[in-house]
Amino acid sequence: MSVAPAAPPHTPPRNPTTRPRLRAVVLVGVAVVGFAICALVLAAYFSASLGVQVTLLAVLFATLPLLVVIPTFVWLDRFEAEPTRLLVLAFLWGALVSAFGAAVLNTGAIIAFQSATDPDSALAATAIVVAPLTEEALKGALVLLVWWLHRNEFDGITDGMVYAGIVAAGFAFTENIQYLGQAYTEGGGAFLAGTFILRGVMSPFAHPMFTVLFGIGVGIAAASPRRSVKVVAPLVGYLLAVLAHGLWNLAAVAGGAGLLVGYFLVGVPIFFGFVCLIVWARSREGRLIAQHLTPYADAGWLSRGEVAMLASMSRRREARIWARANSGPTGLASMRAFQDTASELALVRKRMHHSTANRHAVEHERRLLEALVEQRRAFLGEWVG
């Protein structure tokens, strides 16, 4: 299948009014105010219940798992990196909005259950039933928002996993502050160390593993033109996330032998499955890039060697090293831009292939192809001069 050069794009007329810009400013302002309110409420709660010093200590220990979790999803996102602003938004949503909403809803559920049963049963029912439903819904809402509002930045399963993992990492960060702070308050350093081992060492990926199931569902919906899939896939993903979360909390509530059995017979296998899923998703991204860039090689826009390079992270690194050695920092920057543009082009082609592209896809494709030509000329330099 060849790709015929598209017609030169027409620059759309500029909007003569300031309404779109005003709308954007208002939306950003509302988001900032919302995040600030959640942050202030959570900070006040932690300060009142734990004290400032204990809160800061808990924040320090809660940060450590992020040094493993966040890089894992950044590694997954290497072929076609998501905008940094959206990843930061995802983390803040999880750490502030989802955590605040879950605290309110879970507390309300405990109070409601206590009116009909004893406190221990109320806590157990909330942990096993209510918390999974509310927390996965609150975390998953961000994934849905990115899909609905930034469809051109949401290309499938990998993107769904990345946004779900980052928002869940933010949620786990805030939740860990509470658990670590309470442990230190109740039992000092020994309890703090034990809680950190359980939550930060043995299960740092717990929340991401749950929410990634929902992210996969949204990713499947984003890549499908069928309306039924767009409804059913996210719903199935959400239910699986709730089920996994509920089983995990059931093991935690059981305590003792139940916790160990749940961890080693359920948690550990699921974690290794999660790791395999991450590796598979990244290798799949490379295969998709090769598949959707091949038509451009057939049409002469790319060479076969360039397609092979663009489909492999190791070959991409080798190409950047070569570009820097032959053309200096400018060549390196151009090679990076070439790789990023090619990845975006492959994803545009993928959306066109699956009939999920918007009406500007052909114009966007043409601009990306022209950019590839200019970027190639820049890093080749004297080789084509």
Side-chain angles (χ1 to χ4, degrees):
M1 177 181 177
S2 61
V3 179
H10 297 285
T11 303
R14 296 184 61 184
N15 194 318
T17 73
T18 59
R19 185 172 298 173
R21 181 177 299 177
L22 178 61
R23 186 184 300 117
V25 171
V26 171
L27 289 175
V28 171
V30 170
V32 170
V33 171
F35 284 139
I37 291 173
C38 292
L40 290 173
V41 172
L42 289 171
Y45 167 76
F46 287 136
S47 298
S49 61
L50 303 175
V52 175
Q53 292 183 338
V54 174
T55 299
L56 292 177
L57 179 65
V59 168
L60 174 62
F61 278 87
T63 302
L64 297 179
L66 297 179
L67 302 180
V68 176
V69 176
I70 297 295
T72 298
F73 289 100
V74 171
W75 176 84
L76 174 61
D77 193 37
R78 288 292 299 278
F79 273 109
E80 203 275 321
E82 298 306 302
T84 302
R85 70 183 189 281
L86 293 182
L87 296 180
V88 172
L89 173 67
F91 183 84
L92 292 177
W93 181 281
L96 300 176
V97 178
S98 296
F100 174 74
V104 172
L105 294 175
N106 291 343
T107 301
I110 292 174
I111 295 172
F113 282 131
Q114 283 180 344
S115 65
T117 183
D118 60 276
D120 290 340
S121 297
L123 287 172
T126 300
I128 297 170
V129 179
V130 178
L133 289 168
T134 58
E135 292 174 8
E136 295 309 320
L138 288 166
K139 289 182 290 182
L142 183 280
V143 186
L144 287 175
L145 282 174
V146 175
W147 173 37
W148 290 338
L149 301 179
H150 298 274
R151 292 180 183 269
N152 290 334
E153 302 291 349
F154 204 109
D155 297 293
I157 292 175
T158 300
D159 289 355
M161 294 175 65
V162 169
Y163 285 113
I166 296 296
V167 72
F171 182 89
F173 168 72
T174 301
E175 189 178 68
N176 282 340
I177 294 174
Q178 179 179 0
Y179 282 103
L180 291 166
Q182 288 178 344
Y184 184 82
T185 301
E186 294 172 3
F191 275 35
L192 173 64
T195 303
F196 176 75
I197 291 173
L198 286 174
R199 299 186 64 86
V201 177
M202 296 178 66
S203 57
F205 285 94
H207 274 287
M209 286 192 299
F210 310 145
T211 313
V212 156
L213 295 172
F214 181 72
I216 291 172
V218 177
I220 292 172
S224 175
R226 298 173 59 185
R227 186 176 299 274
S228 59
V229 175
K230 292 182 181 297
V231 175
V232 174
L235 178 60
V236 172
Y238 170 70
L239 293 177
L240 290 174
V242 169
L243 177 62
H245 195 159
L247 291 174
W248 180 267
N249 285 1
L250 175 62
V253 169
L259 176 59
L260 292 177
V261 170
Y263 180 79
F264 287 105
L265 295 185
V266 179
V268 172
I270 290 177
F271 172 73
F272 281 109
F274 171 74
V275 172
C276 292
L277 181 63
I278 291 284
V279 174
W280 169 83
R282 175 156 155 160
S283 62
R284 174 180 178 272
E285 197 83 351
R287 293 193 300 271
L288 287 175
I289 286 176
Q291 174 187 341
H292 293 292
L293 288 183
T294 297
Y296 298 105
D298 294 338
W301 289 100
L302 294 166
S303 69
R304 300 289 177 180
E306 286 173 334
V307 172
M309 176 270 289
L310 292 165
S312 167
M313 288 306 305
S314 60
R315 293 188 181 183
R316 286 188 177 210
R317 285 191 295 271
E318 293 172 358
R320 291 195 296 269
I321 293 172
W322 177 88
R324 184 180 182 87
N326 286 275
S327 302
T330 301
L332 174 61
S334 299
M335 177 60 78
R336 289 184 184 275
F338 179 82
Q339 294 174 349
D340 292 342
T341 301
S343 294
E344 185 175 355
L345 177 64
L347 294 175
V348 169
R349 187 70 185 176
K350 176 187 171 186
R351 290 194 290 269
M352 294 169 68
H353 177 74
H354 291 290
S355 301
T356 58
N358 61 31
R359 59 190 178 88
H360 301 296
V362 174
E363 295 180 1
H364 188 37
E365 177 193 38
R366 179 67 182 193
R367 288 194 294 270
L368 291 173
L369 289 170
E370 293 175 347
L372 283 179
V373 173
E374 294 300 320
Q375 291 156 358
R376 181 192 291 114
R377 183 178 295 116
F379 67 71
L380 287 179
E382 62 186 43
W383 293 81
V384 297

